[in-house]
Amino acid sequence: MSDVFTGMTPERTSGEKEAGSTPPWELRVFGSLTALHAGRSLPLGPLRHRALLGLLLVRLGNVVATGQLVDELWAGRPPRRPIATLQTYVSHLRRALTSGGEQGRRAEARVRHRSPGYVLEIDPELVDVHRFETLVDRGRRDLAHQRFRSARDELTRALALWRGDPYLELTSYGPIADENERLEQLRLTAVETRAGACLAIGEADSVVTTLYPEVQRNPTRERCVGHLMSGLYLLGRQAESLRLYEQTRRHLADELGVDPGAELQRVHSDILNQRLPVSEPPVSAGSCVKTDRGAAPASPTLAETPANPPEPLPAPSADAPTALSERRLRRPRRPVFGRDTVDKSGSRTLHPPRAARSRGALVGRDRELSVLGGHVLDALEGGSHLTAVLGELGVGKTELVQELARGLQELLQEVVWGRCTAGEGVPAYWVWAQIFRQLAVSRPEAFRKAEARFGSLLAPLILTPESGLRTVNGDAPSARARFLTQDAMCETLLSLAADDPLVVVLEDLDQADESSLELLGLLRTRLHCEPLSIVVTADDTSVAADFMGGSAVAEALGDSRTRSVRLSGLSPWDTRELVAGHTTADVPDDVLGLLHGRSRGNPYVLHQFIAAVGDPGLLGDRTAVENALADVPLGVRQALGRRLAGLPGPVLDVLRCCSTLGSAFEFDLVEDVMGARTDVESAIETATRCGLLRRAAQPPFLLSFHDELVQEVLLGELSGCDRARLREGVARALAQRPAAPHGEQEQRRDRVRRTTRLLAAPAKPNGARVPAPAPPHSA
């Protein structure tokens, strides 16, 4: 999370204040875990070495048992000699922490062995997170004693220490993740406390500037919302303050089924009854939110001043329905998608302005956002089509739709969101129950009419606004009853959309249950010029697999009226921009090429590799980046593991065999190794359809993995017995092949040696990269 208090001076330790210089030694937790000596970063080593330091640091001064460290470092999958490996890590940390000290001088931080484990000894004042907590405590005490300016200054210095999420690259380790969450809650408390102090001394513009992005990220923090409401009111923006309260009330009812607390209700009452003095709005543009990269204000409404007149509204389309045209007259002053244009075919598209980029989270998707926005607005004007956002895991489907939803909400267009969930115990129509739950809160009168009209037919998913309870019938309904229920649901949605245009988002459609897909199929046939836009996201590799429910999803997405937006990996140029958002270091082109090639431009995978590098300043160091790219990050390995776990057993067995055959291999060789009892052809076809394997277009039509990370994860999961069995199978299959010319025989022998050496290597449970054998020719 970027620091909203940009430009503030970090707090110094007491010795630092007196000397007026930086401390000779410092341990930084905010952002990547870093040890500094005289301003120079010390070499803490690879990810798991830094994780050991982090696990000791979160229990600073306390002994952590050796067995506990082993469990936390390797998550139940320790190496062959875990104690010896742990001792090696400790030795490396000791050398690293003393490498910057002067000879003969006592180390500032030491890892000591104390039965039954290890303890980190360091002066807490040399750790930024300790100074952060100390300053927050001071600020809260000052506020309690009504020393408002002192409280503001102390908390400002505390928040200036927050350079990024604590332990940024280590949150896959349980205790560190818990500490990360604790510190984030403490940061929010500091932000709220500082806002209270600023309100007390009349700095309402600072409160609005600071709290607006915080409320967007944390809409259930009622004290934060209350301070923002007060700040808006004190700046003479009463309508915005009351609108914020209504949005928060709806969100609390929708997500938690509760009303705002007494404190927030009291702020609302004070504003309604004019019990707060209104100050004059600032003349300068001091309310603009500044970001680390000098981006545009986070909120166009809150950032505007009287000096910035509203942008003229685009004229409504002459053929648009009256209801939608009337709603468009209420657009905010800056449309988020830019001006509408008409291409040669007569279809309308929306082009995002250059300043409308999504808070730094969305890179390289301007064209896709424009196309998606055009599809959605066309559907709201009676386009009668479904819109699908497709792409592989981590490519950015959710982020794209979230950016669209933000833009639509700024256009005062209601967007309701549901996420499909697969697994046991998930009730029928679950994703639609989420949709109806939100609509029951946002449109209570319309829901009462729908409930009175259809009665018990809506029982499988209607939420009563009074109790928040969902009626579930344990008996399996008949086919006729299912159809009548689905018909009632369709009629309810269509009638709600007729009253007020509606956008429905169904995320992860490939995980939807059968009943939800049936309802979607029926609703698609009932779309006839209604102002209802349905947007779905799906993993296209899962859609292609029949055994994962893909046939039903593919039918929904393969309709002639479905419009698709397919996301692929980022371009090298967009990869450069994404990397630039993480570091101020100059990243050479060859390093960017390594990052782009290894991640294939997948934003999620790229973020994981960047986190594995550790210190963002090391992104310009080719050696550090190569070391990080040598392993498959834990998050990527877990995500790919979940994807592979859904495969049928025979397909997974064939893929494991393929993972041992190098970067490219022959179908016949796979068939010879697996034997006649396995339907290799069917398994290869399934894996190809799922996007896991691909076949070369030119003879000899070699097979290869579409993503080398999948191959490495599969290879890392092989046990010693599996490796021995496959080693024997590959050697036997190659030896039994008919005689070949001398050159091909030499290639075949080389092939056996390479595969044997590969499979003889010890298994790497962390999915580390291993050298792949050279691709076979016609062996």
Side-chain angles (χ1 to χ4, degrees), residues 499-528:
D499 291 340
D500 205 355
L502 181 63
V503 177
V504 175
V505 177
L506 308 178
E507 191 178 357
D508 296 336
L509 190 67
D510 49 291
Q511 302 294 317
D513 60 276
E514 181 182 356
S515 300
S516 294
L517 289 173
E518 287 179 356
L519 176 56
L520 176 62
L522 181 61
L523 183 60
R524 280 170 35 237
T525 65
R526 306 279 282 274
L527 291 176
H528 298 294

Side-chain angles (χ1 to χ4, degrees), residues 20-344:
S21 60
T22 58
W25 206 95
E26 184 181 10
L27 192 59
R28 292 183 178 178
V29 165
F30 294 117
S32 297
L33 181 58
T34 307
L36 297 174
H37 173 72
R40 182 175 63 87
S41 178
L42 300 180
L44 296 179
L47 185 66
R48 194 165 275 132
H49 290 192
R50 297 197 300 275
L52 172 60
L53 179 59
L55 291 171
L56 294 173
L57 184 56
V58 298
R59 292 100 163 198
L60 183 61
N62 296 314
V63 178
V64 186
T66 300
Q68 183 177 355
L69 286 173
V70 169
D71 290 341
E72 292 171 352
L73 278 174
W74 284 282
R77 301 180 65 182
R80 186 173 303 174
R81 300 175 59 196
I83 303 301
T85 304
L86 179 62
Q87 291 171 347
T88 302
Y89 288 3
V90 170
S91 298
H92 174 88
L93 276 181
R94 286 170 174 166
R95 289 194 302 271
L97 293 175
T98 58
S99 61
E102 298 175 4
Q103 192 170 4
R105 180 180 174 181
R106 186 173 63 88
E108 301 283 1
R110 291 177 294 182
V111 179
R112 289 185 176 274
H113 178 267
R114 289 185 183 171
S115 182
Y118 294 91
V119 60
L120 176 66
E121 293 182 347
I122 183 176
D123 180 2
E125 283 296 320
L126 299 179
V127 185
D128 60 352
V129 70
H130 173 80
R131 302 201 303 275
F132 172 78
E133 293 186 79
T134 300
L135 288 167
V136 172
D137 288 342
R138 290 180 191 168
R140 297 174 72 177
R141 286 197 301 269
D142 286 343
L143 184 65
H145 291 87
Q146 298 186 0
R147 297 191 292 266
F148 301 119
R149 294 188 182 277
S150 176
R152 178 202 59 186
D153 294 341
E154 296 282 8
L155 292 165
T156 296
R157 287 193 289 269
L159 291 164
L161 291 172
W162 192 284
R163 303 176 181 88
D165 290 345
Y167 304 98
L168 180 63
E169 77 279 22
L170 302 176
T171 52
S172 58
Y173 297 89
I176 296 178
D178 295 340
E179 178 70 359
N180 176 285
E181 178 61 26
R182 183 188 73 84
L183 291 172
E184 169 62 17
Q185 296 304 314
L186 183 60
R187 186 194 70 83
L188 289 172
T189 299
V191 169
E192 293 169 347
T193 307
R194 181 185 181 277
C198 290
L199 287 174
I201 58 180
E203 296 181 354
D205 54 342
S206 175
V207 171
V208 171
T209 299
T210 302
L211 291 191
Y212 183 80
E214 296 294 343
V215 168
Q216 282 189 315
R217 287 187 289 260
N218 304 278
T220 60
R221 298 281 299 201
E222 295 188 35
R223 180 164 295 175
C224 202
V225 173
H227 287 335
L228 178 56
M229 289 173 57
S230 300
L232 289 169
Y233 176 82
L234 293 174
L235 293 178
R237 295 152 73 171
Q238 178 178 349
E240 293 177 42
S241 179
L242 295 176
R243 189 184 309 121
L244 175 62
Y245 177 82
E246 182 62 22
Q247 291 173 353
T248 304
R249 184 191 65 77
R250 289 185 179 183
H251 184 81
L252 291 171
D254 179 20
E255 295 296 325
L256 304 175
V258 298
D259 292 327
E263 182 179 348
L264 187 58
Q265 292 186 28
R266 185 164 53 252
V267 173
H268 181 238
S269 175
D270 288 344
I271 293 174
L272 286 176
N273 293 290
Q274 308 289 319
R275 287 197 287 262
L276 294 176
V278 181
S279 60
E280 292 296 323
V283 178
S284 65
S287 61
C288 291
V289 179
K290 297 181 180 178
T291 64
D292 294 347
R293 302 174 60 187
S299 167
T301 303
L302 294 180
E304 286 174 348
T305 65
N308 298 323
E311 181 178 345
L313 294 175
S317 174
D319 57 351
T322 303
L324 185 60
S325 300
E326 290 175 352
R327 287 177 61 81
R328 287 189 171 184
L329 293 177
R330 296 181 282 140
R331 284 182 177 179
R333 284 169 279 189
R334 181 179 62 81
V336 294
F337 292 117
R339 298 290 189 156
D340 295 4
T341 59
V342 180
D343 59 19
K344 295 180 179 179

Side-chain angles (χ1 to χ4, degrees), residues 5 59 121 271 294 413 515 578 623 660 694 717:
F5 299 97
R59 292 100 163 198
E121 293 182 347
I271 293 174
Q413 172 62 61
S515 300
L578 193 149
T623 301
T660 68
R694 59 186 173 189
E717 291 177 349

